[in-house]
């Protein structure tokens, strides 16, 4: 794999131009990260997925909200709807301890969902941490932005050693400045999509510990093989979204187990291609929250998440689906617990095993799965998803349609 030198690039223009740019960079909030430059930017421009000055999706996708702003505001700020977007009581967080994680999994595979898209995967003797977000807010500012609905299950320092940190993309709810700076002080390796390394280098991660991949590129750690695979989303942290950092889903394959993390993505036919090339999987970690009819191309509904899982598994129920990207931050108009409830429904309809752990609750997919719908005690009644009448033709988005997707 190509190792990247610290970004810099040639200085062009007059000294005063350079001085102005330096002053502007100094004013940029640290949480905004850094723009790719130098050889990193050159590599981005050589990518087959980069065209017309931006990274391209595998299928066209509208990345800005569609529809009427007025209608969205009515839905988002309606009093009853706002109340449903937060739990009515305390989310039950499993009191994870280092002791829970110190004993190796009997089966060789154990997962611990820490909330949102953060998952610790212990696979074939290695520890892989996906999209770690330990901050209180997914925001560039400590005083504003979506705040946690529950605390982290345990301090980052109590997690124990991590071999590889995998980042799906650079949005604030997946790439968290204080978390990355804490992990930069360890000796963990970071596997990231192309361009994201610029942020990490600014925050203190040495280039020697970066594995920066384009789609369908792989890197190895011990006997694990990590592959960046396509996703349908977008990127950006600052006021000016240059689309110069890639987004990705990830496959991690060991000698005995294979797992998949979707990152953020809209549904697209490429899931079947990923499954053919890398599956089937013991576990898929699938984004099923923060969806809306106002942005249907970049996040999946629970029904679409179930369809993606089945595509990844060759079209039939197999392995375990672990729902991610829900229950921790309020990022969409839907009720906070709706993704969990509707994924349960979709699993029952498809005959697919779905894990429902509390945040911080370790489980081994080959053992008895956590299945208690713990969210029901602290949420208002959730409307059932719309279902295709038996005997009718399937829709374009699959047999498991939801009310917002008609």
């Amino acid at each position: 794999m190509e190792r990247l030198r610290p970004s810099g690039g040639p200085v062009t223009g007059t000294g005063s131009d350079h001085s102005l740019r330096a002053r502007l960079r100094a004013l940029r909030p640290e949480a905004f990260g850094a723009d790719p430059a130098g050889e990193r930017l050159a590599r981005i421009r050589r990518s087959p997925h980069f065209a017309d000055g931006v990274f391209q999706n595998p299928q066209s996708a509208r990345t800005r909200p569609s529809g009427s702003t007025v209608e969205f505001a009515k839905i988002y700020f309606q009093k009853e709807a706002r109340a449903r977007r937060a739990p009515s009581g305390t989310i039950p967080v499993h009191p994870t301890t280092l002791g829970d994680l110190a004993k190796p999994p009997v089966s060789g595979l154990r997962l611990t969902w820490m909330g949102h898209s953060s998952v610790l995967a212990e696979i074939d003797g290695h520890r892989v941490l996906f999209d770690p977000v330990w901050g209180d807010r997914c925001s560039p500012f400590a005083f504003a932005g979506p705040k946690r609905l529950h605390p982290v299950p345990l301090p980052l320092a109590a997690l124990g050693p991590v071999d590889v940190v995998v980042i799906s993309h650079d949005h604030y709810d997946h790439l968290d400045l204080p978390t990355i700076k804490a992990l930069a002080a360890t000796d963990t390796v970071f596997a990231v999509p192309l361009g994201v390394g610029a942020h990490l280098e600014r925050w203190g991660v040495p280039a020697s510990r970066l594995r920066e991949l384009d789609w369908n590129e792989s890197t190895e750690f011990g006997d694990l093989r990590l592959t960046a695979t396509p996703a349908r989303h977008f990127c950006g942290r600052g006021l000016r979204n240059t689309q110069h950092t890639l987004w990705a889903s990830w496959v991690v394959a060991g000698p005995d187990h294979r797992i998949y993390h979707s990152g953020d993505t809209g549904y697209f036919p490429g899931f079947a291609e990923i499954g053919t090339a890398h599956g089937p999987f013991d576990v898929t970690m699938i984004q099923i929250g923060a969806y809306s009819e106002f942005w249907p191309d970049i996040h999946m509904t629970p029904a679409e998440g179930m369809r993606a899982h089945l595509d990844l598994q060759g079209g039939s129920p197999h392995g375990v689906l672990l729902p991610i990207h829900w229950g921790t931050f309020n990022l969409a108009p839907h009720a906070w617990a709706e993704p969990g409830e509707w994924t349960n429904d979709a699993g029952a309809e498809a005959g697919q095993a779905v894990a429902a752990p509390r945040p911080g609750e370790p489980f081994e997919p080959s053992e008895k799965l956590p299945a208690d719908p713990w969210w029901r005690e602290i949420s208002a009644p959730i409307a059932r998803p719309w279902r295709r009448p038996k005997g009718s033709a399937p829709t374009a988005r699959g047999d498991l349609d939801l009310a917002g997707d008609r």
Side-chain angles (χ1 to χ4, degrees):
M1 144 130 201
E2 181 179 7
R3 293 291 182 88
L4 302 176
R5 70 169 184 257
S7 58
V11 175
T12 59
T14 66
S16 60
D17 289 340
H18 174 60
S19 177
L20 176 60
R21 287 197 299 270
R23 289 198 299 271
L24 290 174
R25 281 197 298 270
L27 294 173
R28 177 174 177 154
E30 186 181 23
F32 282 9
D35 293 328
E39 174 55 28
R40 177 176 282 116
L41 183 57
R43 187 179 172 212
I44 287 168
R45 288 170 174 161
R46 293 194 301 266
S47 168
H49 310 109
F50 190 82
D52 301 324
V54 296
F55 278 112
Q56 303 291 325
N57 267 301
Q59 179 180 335
S60 62
R62 184 183 176 94
T63 58
R64 296 179 181 275
S66 59
S68 165
T69 304
V70 173
E71 288 302 314
F72 177 77
K74 286 181 181 178
I75 294 172
Y76 197 82
F77 293 107
Q78 198 267 340
K79 184 177 180 180
E80 184 178 341
R82 289 180 65 187
R84 289 197 299 269
R85 291 200 296 273
S88 58
T90 301
I91 291 178
V93 175
H94 181 83
T96 317
T97 66
L98 184 57
D100 288 329
L101 306 174
K103 187 177 180 180
V106 174
S107 65
L109 179 63
R110 180 168 60 206
L111 287 92
T112 308
W113 178 55
M114 299 295 177
H116 202 57
S117 295
S118 303
V119 181
L120 174 66
E122 298 168 271
I123 173 171
D124 296 343
H126 299 288
R127 307 176 94 234
V128 180
L129 183 59
F130 292 92
D131 284 356
V133 174
W134 258 249
D136 289 332
R137 296 182 185 271
C138 50
S139 166
F141 309 109
F143 56 85
K147 192 173 183 180
R148 283 184 166 274
L149 300 178
H150 65 80
V152 291
L154 79 170
L156 189 62
L159 194 62
V162 173
D163 296 310
V164 184
V165 171
V166 175
I167 303 296
S168 64
H169 63 297
D170 68 0
H171 285 159
Y172 289 97
D173 56 324
H174 297 260
L175 182 62
D176 180 55
L177 168 62
T179 304
I180 296 300
K181 292 188 80 169
L183 289 166
T186 70
D187 59 359
T188 187
V189 167
F190 291 81
V192 303
L194 187 54
V196 174
H199 300 315
L200 272 61
E201 284 193 34
R202 185 183 179 190
W203 300 337
V205 177
S208 61
R209 283 167 44 204
L210 289 174
R211 308 291 185 268
E212 200 163 348
L213 306 183
D214 202 345
W215 288 341
N216 303 313
E217 291 183 343
S218 299
T219 188
E220 294 183 355
F221 184 92
D223 51 9
L224 291 185
R225 186 173 181 85
L226 299 95
T227 304
T229 46
R232 191 181 182 210
H233 200 55
F234 67 110
C235 65
R237 293 179 72 84
L239 299 177
R240 185 171 58 91
N241 185 359
T242 60
Q243 293 290 84
H244 281 177
T245 58
L246 189 59
W247 48 96
S249 57
W250 287 87
V251 171
V252 179
D256 300 314
H257 296 93
R258 291 172 178 264
I259 59 178
Y260 171 86
H261 189 284
S262 71
D264 277 2
T265 181
Y267 180 82
F268 71 111
F271 291 114
E273 297 172 8
I274 295 169
T276 298
H278 302 283
F281 299 99
D282 298 279
V283 175
T284 68
M285 296 161 270
I286 301 289
Q287 173 261 302
I288 51 86
Y291 48 83
S292 171
E293 60 187 4
F294 291 94
W295 49 83
D297 297 339
I298 55 173
H299 281 164
M300 292 190 292
T301 65
E304 289 171 319
M306 180 59 65
R307 184 180 178 191
H309 170 88
L310 296 176
D311 287 353
L312 288 159
Q313 303 288 34
S316 301
H318 181 79
V320 174
L321 188 158
L322 172 62
I324 60 171
H325 205 265
W326 76 286
T328 301
F329 296 108
N330 177 358
L331 302 176
H334 60 67
W336 78 275
E338 185 178 281
E341 188 72 33
W342 284 9
T343 301
N344 258 16
D345 290 341
E349 184 167 327
Q352 171 60 51
V354 175
R358 291 165 172 78
E361 182 180 2
F363 72 95
E364 298 191 35
S366 63
E367 305 296 326
K368 183 179 179 181
L369 297 178
D372 175 37
W374 49 266
W375 54 87
R376 290 179 183 170
E377 295 184 4
I378 50 174
S379 64
I382 298 170
R384 312 316 295 172
W386 176 83
R387 300 199 178 280
R388 179 172 63 89
K390 290 184 178 179
S392 64
T395 66
R397 296 183 108 178
D399 292 356
L400 301 169
D401 256 349
L402 301 187
D405 298 329
R406 289 198 294 262

